[in-house]
Amino acid sequence: TDVTIPKGLSGHEIISDNLYNKGTAFTNAERIALRIDGLLPPVVNTIEEQEARIMENYRRKSTNIEKYIFLMSLLDHNLILFNRVLVNHLEEMMPIIYTPTVGEACLEYSHILRRPQGMFLAANEKGRYAELLRQWPESDVRVIVVTDGERILGLGDLGTSGMGIPVGKLCLYAAGAGIPFHQCLPVMIDVGTNNAEFINDPLYIGLRQERLRGDAYDELIDEFIMAVQEVFPNALIQFEDFGNQN
């Protein structure tokens, strides 16, 4: 469904924000009122026409990882259209958005990253978690899926590359349970990784250090929980794919 666009945003800001952007589905009246009529091609498409275009391109992809990247790009640009496509083709797309393809995506996460999604709270930012959570643009977060990337599916320690799991899970919650996307927040707590391959990968997006253990680790998790209670008091926290010892 549509969301209310805040006043004061420029036309470029509106079509650059995946929460507000409807692409070519903006009506002529909306285009004029929002000052985006010169930023879009002149033809107005229905949501059905947009969906047909997306599915045509989606089904042209020859591999599942290409389909995953395509859907994540749509998520980055147009949440309204992404949600429609996912809801209407959930059985077909669930193995792409989540298992098994999300496992492959996590293995390649640092190499296929286009636009960071969610929030990344690193161990070296201890003491600032509440401050960092306030940087999230939405204030009414209701569901947080958080991981530290230590036990991603059957793949083991993927460090920060495990962010694909919270993102994928929340996509399914939005499509399957109707939770509004703007009330969902994927979180990665980066405490390092013991995956030598990732640490030696020049494109790895996480901290290049061994995993924190013991009291230092517990203090970070405590801080995260307290920060969520302070900043997003109505949020449910789901802990996902943490190591069994934690």
Side-chain angles (χ1 to χ4, degrees):
T1 60
D2 289 354
V3 296
T4 301
I5 298 175
K7 295 180 179 180
L9 293 181
S10 70
H12 187 267
E13 288 173 325
I14 291 170
I15 64 172
S16 297
D17 192 312
N18 65 346
L19 182 60
Y20 307 127
N21 180 36
K22 296 195 295 184
T24 55
F26 282 109
T27 66
N28 286 322
E30 288 174 328
R31 296 175 186 213
I32 293 171
L34 297 171
R35 296 167 294 147
I36 59 175
D37 41 339
L39 302 176
L40 297 170
V43 173
V44 176
N45 289 128
T46 65
I47 190 74
E48 291 81 9
E49 290 169 336
Q50 285 187 308
E51 181 180 358
R53 181 186 295 127
I54 290 298
M55 293 309 300
E56 178 183 309
N57 281 275
Y58 174 82
R59 288 171 177 156
R60 283 177 179 168
K61 306 302 179 185
S62 59
T63 67
N64 286 343
I65 194 66
E66 288 177 332
K67 290 179 179 180
Y68 176 89
I69 293 171
F70 178 76
L71 289 176
M72 289 299 102
S73 178
L74 179 60
L75 172 63
D76 286 341
H77 292 94
N78 189 330
L79 274 174
I80 295 171
L81 184 55
F82 174 84
N83 194 53
R84 166 144 185 141
V85 168
L86 188 56
V87 167
N88 287 347
H89 305 274
L90 188 59
E91 186 174 356
E92 178 180 356
M93 292 181 172
M94 187 179 293
I96 305 298
I97 291 295
Y98 208 61
T99 56
T101 305
V102 72
E104 182 182 356
C106 286
L107 287 171
E108 299 293 332
Y109 204 79
S110 292
H111 293 258
I112 64 174
L113 181 68
R114 300 298 194 270
R115 173 182 174 183
Q117 298 163 331
M119 297 213 70
F120 298 81
L121 306 179
N124 58 7
E125 293 163 334
K126 185 177 185 296
R128 299 186 59 222
Y129 283 4
E131 174 189 349
L132 296 178
L133 289 176
R134 288 192 179 93
Q135 295 176 5
W136 189 247
E138 301 298 327
S139 59
D140 188 23
V141 171
R142 296 302 181 94
V143 181
I144 292 172
V145 177
V146 58
T147 188
D148 69 355
E150 185 169 8
R151 191 180 58 85
I152 298 298
L153 303 176
L155 303 171
D157 185 352
L158 301 189
T160 302
S161 296
M163 184 55 142
I165 295 297
V167 172
K169 200 139 235 186
L170 286 169
C171 286
L172 295 183
Y173 292 169
I179 301 170
F181 267 108
H182 67 278
Q183 292 183 333
C184 298
L185 175 58
V187 174
M188 165 59 64
I189 300 180
D190 186 353
V191 297
T193 179
N194 293 338
N195 188 321
E197 181 180 349
F198 280 10
I199 289 179
N200 293 323
D201 183 349
L203 296 182
Y204 177 58
I205 60 173
L207 293 178
R208 299 173 191 277
Q209 66 180 44
E210 290 189 357
R211 283 189 168 272
L212 288 183
R213 298 294 187 197
D215 291 343
Y217 177 89
D218 293 343
E219 288 172 7
L220 282 181
I221 303 303
D222 285 345
E223 180 182 344
F224 167 71
I225 295 171
M226 298 304 293
V228 169
Q229 290 181 338
E230 178 182 338
V231 180
F232 304 123
N234 296 315
L236 174 150
I237 303 174
Q238 176 183 333
F239 294 91
E240 186 72 19
D241 288 354
F242 282 72
N244 289 337
Q245 63 184 327
N246 293 323

